[in-house]
Amino acid sequence: MAVGNRVCALVDGGAYAELVNAPAAQVIRVPEDLELRDAAAVPEAACTAWSNLVGVAGLTAGMTVLIHGGSGGVGSMAVQIAHALNAFVISTAGGPERCEQVRALGADVVVDHRSESFADAVLEVTDGRGVDVVLDVVGAAYLADNVRALATNGHLVVIGMQKGRRAELDLGVLLTKRASITGTTLRSRPAAEKAAIVDGVRRHVLPLIADGRIRPVVDTVYRFSEARQAHERLAAGGVFGKILLTP
Ligand SMILES: NC(=O)c1ccc[n+]([C@@H]2O[C@H](COP(=O)([O-])OP(=O)(O)OC[C@H]3O[C@@H](n4cnc5c(N)ncnc54)[C@H](OP(=O)(O)O)[C@@H]3O)[C@@H](O)[C@H]2O)c1
């Protein structure tokens, strides 16, 4: 890394700024063909998706994964990473148009969570076997069905609680499947773990971005002065991928 390089970074907070401090180990060089602005959509989404799919759940080629919210900032990156790893990718999104957009990112099957039971769909598509990995951004409302959708020895990784933090679970199902559940947050991880995650993203995800197999999905770019509108838009739903703020 040298002065003048184009970089993006996994920051510890405070990124709504023209200048930001980031530990060197959390800085990533931006591939030549990627616009610096679009690179802002990469670090958090890629680090979250990579660390949970690969680091926590051990996703590899030939495995089957369910990624909730393939239409979101994290999900749109996770679908592309899982597809690039040659996993069989099932995803969820709200509405036919968003499902089609997630399919275009490389998902093999997309379930419209507004009109279908994702667990029923997963079991149908996998001939009753279930998926090896679930990456969940929904939380409590999906806990029981996420476990129902898991295969034997499957791994549910919960990274979001958009639909609640408390739920009831039949532990018998977990025991019978020898399944496991992990919850993680990126932000609370110690610096050494963040450095290791960024290193993994640098070595494994960046080359896929550089050669165009993965692209950060940017819905809209707002000015800092429009931050309020950007947040209102995000809160209203319907954003596909990331919203970015620029000076
Ligand atoms: N633990 C961590 O380290 C970590 C890191 C980053 C983000 N997160 C969390 O992960 C979540 C997603 O972040 P994001 O940046 O991707 O947010 P986002 O861009 O706002 O995306 C939210 C996604 O959730 C989906 N969703 C909402 N309700 C759903 C439902 N009932 N069933 C299936 N999907 C549903 C949406 O799909 P539709 O709009 O298509 O319905 C959308 O794709 C947030 O809760 C965030 O706090 C956690």
Side-chain angles (χ1 to χ4, degrees), residues 44-45 48 51-52 68-76 92-95 98-99 102 111 113-114 118 136-138 141-142 158-163 183-189 234 237-243:
E44 199 227 11
T48 303
S51 62
N52 287 294
H68 284 301
S71 44
V74 173
S76 58
T92 57
R98 293 166 77 72
C99 287
V102 176
V111 182
H113 66 77
R114 290 189 196 153
F118 73 83
D136 179 49
V137 292
V138 175
Y142 275 9
V158 182
I159 62 165
M161 299 178 291
Q162 294 179 95
K163 296 275 159 36
T184 71
T185 64
L186 191 56
R187 188 172 283 212
S188 64
R189 287 191 187 236
L234 204 53
V239 172
F240 192 87
K242 283 273 186 193
I243 282 187

Side-chain angles (χ1 to χ4, degrees), residues 202-216:
R202 217 183 265 128
R203 286 188 293 120
H204 300 285
V205 181
L206 262 290
L208 299 169
I209 294 177
D211 73 13
R213 271 185 285 170
I214 291 181
R215 62 180 176 88

Side-chain angles (χ1 to χ4, degrees), residues 8 15 78 113 116 147 182 199:
C8 56
H113 66 77
E116 271 185 88
V147 173
T182 304
D199 189 51

Side-chain angles (χ1 to χ4, degrees), residues 37 95 125 149 152 200 216-217 226 229:
R37 187 199 69 187
V125 167
T152 301
V217 180
E226 301 166 322
Q229 284 147 265

Side-chain angles (χ1 to χ4, degrees), residues 24-235:
Q26 291 169 217
V27 175
I28 300 169
R29 278 201 59 184
V30 176
E32 243 171 52
D33 289 340
L34 183 63
E35 279 217 32
L36 190 57
R37 187 199 69 187
D38 291 348
V42 173
E44 199 227 11
C47 289
T48 303
W50 177 260
S51 62
N52 287 294
L53 289 175
V54 178
V56 176
L59 187 71
T60 54
M63 289 171 85
T64 303
V65 59
L66 168 64
I67 295 167
H68 284 301
S71 44
V74 173
S76 58
M77 182 61 76
V79 165
Q80 294 183 82
I81 290 175
H83 174 67
L85 288 170
N86 290 318
F88 185 82
V89 183
I90 306 172
S91 188
T92 57
E97 197 182 320
R98 293 166 77 72
C99 287
E100 202 46 57
Q101 286 174 287
V102 176
R103 226 167 266 126
L105 295 176
D108 297 283
V109 175
V110 187
V111 182
D112 183 349
H113 66 77
R114 290 189 196 153
S115 59
E116 271 185 88
S117 152
F118 73 83
D120 287 351
V122 161
L123 293 172
E124 193 184 321
V125 167
T126 60
D127 292 329
R129 178 184 175 275
V131 293
D132 301 295
V133 177
V134 177
L135 183 67
D136 179 49
V137 292
V138 175
Y142 275 9
L143 180 63
D145 270 351
N146 276 336
V147 173
R148 188 158 76 85
L150 280 180
T152 301
N153 289 317
H155 199 151
L156 163 62
V157 187
V158 182
I159 62 165
M161 299 178 291
Q162 294 179 95
K163 296 275 159 36
R165 55 197 298 162
R166 289 173 199 275
E168 198 172 287
L169 178 65
D170 179 351
L171 289 171
V173 183
L174 202 66
L175 268 58
T176 311
K177 292 190 174 186
R178 301 187 294 285
S180 46
I181 304 176
T182 304
T184 71
T185 64
L186 191 56
R187 188 172 283 212
S188 64
R189 287 191 187 236
E193 286 184 26
K194 286 182 184 165
I197 290 169
V198 170
D199 189 51
V201 166
R202 217 183 265 128
R203 286 188 293 120
H204 300 285
V205 181
L206 262 290
L208 299 169
I209 294 177
D211 73 13
R213 271 185 285 170
I214 291 181
R215 62 180 176 88
V217 180
V218 178
D219 181 289
T220 319
V221 181
Y222 289 92
R223 295 270 171 214
F224 278 171
S225 56
E226 301 166 322
R228 184 196 173 98
Q229 284 147 265
H231 275 274
E232 284 170 352
R233 176 93 205 290
L234 204 53

